[in-house]
Amino acid sequence: MTEPLLQVENLSKFYPVKSGNLFGSRVMRAVDSVSFNLRRGETIAVVGESGCGKSTTARMVSGLLAPTAGSIRVNGKNIAGVKGREAFALRRQVQMVFQDPMASLNARMKVGAILEEPLIIHGHGNRAARRQRVEELMGLVGLRKEHLDRYPHQFSGGQRQRIGIARALAVEPELLVLDEPVSALDVSVQAQIINLLKDLQSKLGLSYVFIAHDLAVVKHMADHVAVMYLGRIIEQGPKAQIFDTPRHPYTQMLFSAVPQIGLGRANPDRAVKGEMPSPVNPPSGCHFHPRCAYSTDACRTTRPELADFGAQQAACIRADEIPAYATTQSAPGYKEAAAQRMKIYHEMIGSRQQAEA
């Protein structure tokens, strides 16, 4: 088996927090010993509630944030903590697309200059070669070269995100880190961007780390899924296994909270309850035990590690005892509802293609 493109091992990010007492500062474990692999041409989706550490993980993988501990290997080379010329060369391999396209684009620069900037920084050819590359990038994301002389505010949200994707592709990376790239967009535009990302992945052989909270989008995009809770991965594995047979109570609750077209919630009694605890003062043992319907005294004292269940892993000491979860996919009418949703998506894409023709 070939070596994974991306290998993340025991990745952690801690922040000191002043406690305001005589005992000094405490530590907020934003990300705590996270590990996962990603093969070439595939997508791993990292999901979880706000504040679980998804975006912090994304920023460390992309090189925007230095980890406290752990390694991030791209093509076998550890990019965590690398500095100088070596970091500059490695950074070309990993680029990031941000959640808010308006905030991530320089409002004072025209689109042509925005796309040319990374090419200048990385010494890509002369001015004519850079201009040609910029025009290629615009076509690649479905925009016209006439748009190069416009400013970001003259575009729609979906068009701005296409520009953000084009900028990330400028230096021909192998891996894109996508930090909730469609959450700030209208649903109809989300479908367009999702399909664009799938097309680019197929055409260019890209790999994606996809940060998301919308499980419908995850199901459409991902090959593998990692579920985070309070800085840790509590379940991960192939998409089919995670969606069909989630092992961790938290994963089950996430799926139960998702309404389906015409179905309501598949299992509302398992919907996520309560608020996520503070990462500055997390619960003892299993961090999820205060919100878990299946917790025991052992859960309050034992920190569970990821254990293998076939192709997937789950960090729950009662994973074998918890009642089987009736997933949304096995609920009556799920297939019909899912087919209807995909029909709507395809109609949206067809309308866009006709409008652009």
Side-chain angles (χ1 to χ4, degrees), residues 52-252:
C52 71
K54 306 186 302 292
S55 292
T56 302
T57 300
R59 290 175 179 272
M60 287 191 286
V61 171
S62 63
L64 297 179
L65 194 62
T68 302
S71 65
I72 305 166
R73 297 186 181 276
V74 178
N75 287 320
K77 295 183 179 180
N78 188 5
I79 65 173
V82 175
K83 298 179 180 179
R85 290 184 176 273
E86 187 177 6
F88 187 76
L90 289 172
R91 204 157 286 162
R92 291 187 60 170
Q93 301 174 41
V94 184
Q95 294 292 308
M96 188 164 183
V97 176
F98 298 89
Q99 178 178 2
D100 185 351
M102 190 61 190
S104 65
L105 300 176
N106 191 330
R108 297 187 178 186
M109 293 175 66
K110 292 182 178 180
V111 168
I114 289 173
L115 297 184
E116 187 181 12
E117 186 175 34
L119 299 175
I120 295 172
I121 292 172
H122 288 276
H124 181 90
N126 56 27
R127 186 172 184 179
R130 291 196 299 269
R131 177 71 182 192
Q132 181 179 355
R133 175 60 177 161
V134 166
E135 292 179 359
E136 289 175 356
L137 290 167
M138 291 292 279
L140 201 59
V141 298
L143 296 174
R144 299 191 300 273
K145 63 180 180 181
E146 291 80 6
H147 292 153
L148 290 172
D149 291 325
R150 296 183 185 179
Y151 290 93
H153 74 270
Q154 295 175 288
F155 294 88
S156 68
Q159 288 174 322
R160 285 195 290 265
Q161 194 59 291
R162 289 172 184 267
I163 295 166
I165 294 169
R167 179 179 60 182
L169 294 175
V171 293
E172 301 181 347
E174 297 182 69
L175 172 65
L176 288 189
V177 179
L178 308 165
D179 189 5
E180 303 204 38
V182 298
S183 63
L185 306 176
D186 293 339
V187 174
S188 60
V189 181
Q190 286 184 13
Q192 298 172 17
I193 299 300
I194 290 167
N195 281 276
L196 171 65
L197 290 169
K198 293 288 285 185
D199 290 344
L200 291 172
Q201 185 172 45
S202 176
K203 185 181 299 183
L204 304 177
L206 297 168
S207 302
Y208 294 150
V209 174
F210 191 84
I211 309 300
H213 63 270
D214 187 331
L215 294 175
V217 173
V218 168
K219 190 172 188 298
H220 189 64
M221 282 290 299
D223 298 294
H224 302 271
V225 178
V227 183
M228 287 190 71
Y229 186 78
L230 216 60
R232 301 175 182 170
I233 289 180
I234 51 89
E235 185 163 9
Q236 64 177 331
K239 175 182 65 177
Q241 278 86 337
I242 298 297
F243 273 80
D244 287 343
T245 55
R247 290 278 185 172
H248 199 284
Y250 178 66
T251 310
Q252 296 178 2

Side-chain angles (χ1 to χ4, degrees), residues 320-351:
D320 281 329
E321 306 171 43
I322 293 172
Y325 173 64
T327 68
T328 53
Q329 296 192 58
S330 62
Y334 173 82
K335 292 183 179 179
E336 292 78 6
Q340 179 65 18
R341 179 162 186 166
M342 290 309 301
K343 180 181 178 182
I344 294 171
Y345 268 31
H346 288 307
E347 286 175 352
M348 292 174 182
I349 300 305
S351 298

Side-chain angles (χ1 to χ4, degrees), residues 11-12 29-34 51-54 57 228-233 276 279 287:
L11 190 65
S12 299
R29 297 173 178 266
V31 175
D32 190 0
S33 300
V34 162
C52 71
K54 306 186 302 292
T57 300
M228 287 190 71
Y229 186 78
L230 216 60
R232 301 175 182 170
I233 289 180
M276 187 163 60
H287 288 350

